[in-house]
Amino acid sequence: MPRVTITVPERNSQPYRFNLERKSVSLGRGSENDIVIDCSSVSVHHAVMERIEGGYQLRDLGSTNGTKSGGQTKEIIPLTDGARAKLGDVSFDFSLTADEQLALSKEAPGKESPVIKEDAVETPPAPRRVPHRPAVAPVAQPDPAGAFFMTLVFLVLAVGAFYIGMSLRYSKSHPGSSLSNVLFSGETAAEPETTPAAENEAAGAETPAPAGN
């Protein structure tokens, strides 16, 4: 049988027992209550203990000083084994035996955790891995116009060097004349002049000396 213990300040505790089939137990200062509490802080009709599926609860009936649990005023207080409450200044203790707890637990069906359906979230595809390739510098394509210009410059330099070399050789072999005059004016190369002294030397070289006596 469930047990309720009422403790009025400066008085001895008063235990009460009742059957599990009892649907309600009224508490208050009035003589018509199931549990009469002689204390000025308790209202005439202070609270009622109610049988609910799987257990009990203590409901306040609009009392002046309220019904408290854990220091807070509450309208309804669930009653489990070892529950404590305050009706005004009066202590209210509730207890159940092991058999009673088992019997009550069979009445209350287990509650499943609510399943909350969430909006489907589309999972983005995994990024595709691209194999790493070393950077290759682009090969410069030859410029046809630039190649032609370089070839032309090379030919001009070669012709100029050849002309300078021929001019130097011609100037050494033909003093007083230049290769440019010969090429562009049409004049012939000047023959070296023969001086009279040279002619005499030549003649002397050709005339044999007279024979001796």
Side-chain angles (χ1 to χ4, degrees):
M1 298 177 67
R3 180 177 180 179
V4 174
T5 302
I6 301 298
T7 305
V8 178
E10 301 180 358
R11 295 184 188 180
N12 294 330
S13 300
Q14 295 294 325
Y16 298 88
R17 287 188 179 274
F18 51 92
N19 199 295
L20 280 176
E21 284 71 28
R22 185 74 178 265
K23 296 300 181 182
S24 65
V25 177
S26 60
L27 301 94
R29 198 173 68 250
S31 59
E32 66 274 14
N33 290 287
D34 297 317
I35 298 178
V36 178
I37 303 174
D38 186 13
C39 182
S40 60
S41 63
V42 177
S43 299
V44 175
H45 300 285
H46 195 102
V48 59
M49 187 174 63
E50 298 173 329
R51 179 79 156 84
I52 59 175
E53 185 178 17
Y56 295 87
Q57 69 180 14
L58 183 64
R59 182 167 56 89
D60 187 81
L61 298 177
S63 62
T64 302
N65 295 315
T67 302
K68 301 178 182 179
S69 176
Q72 296 182 351
T73 301
K74 297 181 178 180
E75 182 179 354
I76 295 178
I77 300 173
L79 297 177
T80 57
D81 182 55
R84 303 192 69 178
K86 277 274 193 177
L87 283 67
D89 297 331
V90 175
S91 298
F92 174 97
D93 296 280
F94 181 83
S95 62
L96 293 168
T97 64
D99 293 338
E100 291 168 344
Q101 294 181 52
L102 180 61
L104 292 174
S105 64
K106 293 180 180 179
E107 293 181 3
K111 296 182 179 179
E112 296 181 356
S113 300
V115 178
I116 300 175
K117 183 179 179 181
E118 297 181 355
D119 296 336
V121 179
E122 183 178 355
T123 304
R128 184 179 178 183
R129 298 189 64 180
V130 179
H132 176 70
R133 296 181 180 178
V136 179
V139 179
Q141 298 294 330
D143 186 7
F148 175 76
F149 178 76
M150 293 299 296
T151 303
L152 183 62
V153 170
F154 176 77
L155 291 176
V156 171
L157 293 177
V159 171
F162 177 77
Y163 176 77
I164 292 174
M166 293 297 294
S167 297
L168 293 176
R169 292 181 62 185
Y170 187 84
S171 298
K172 290 181 180 181
S173 60
H174 299 82
S177 178
S178 63
L179 182 61
S180 60
N181 293 332
V182 174
L183 294 176
F184 299 106
S185 63
E187 66 181 40
T188 59
E191 297 292 335
E193 296 181 355
T194 306
T195 61
E199 292 178 356
N200 292 333
E201 290 180 359
E206 295 176 358
T207 303
N213 293 327

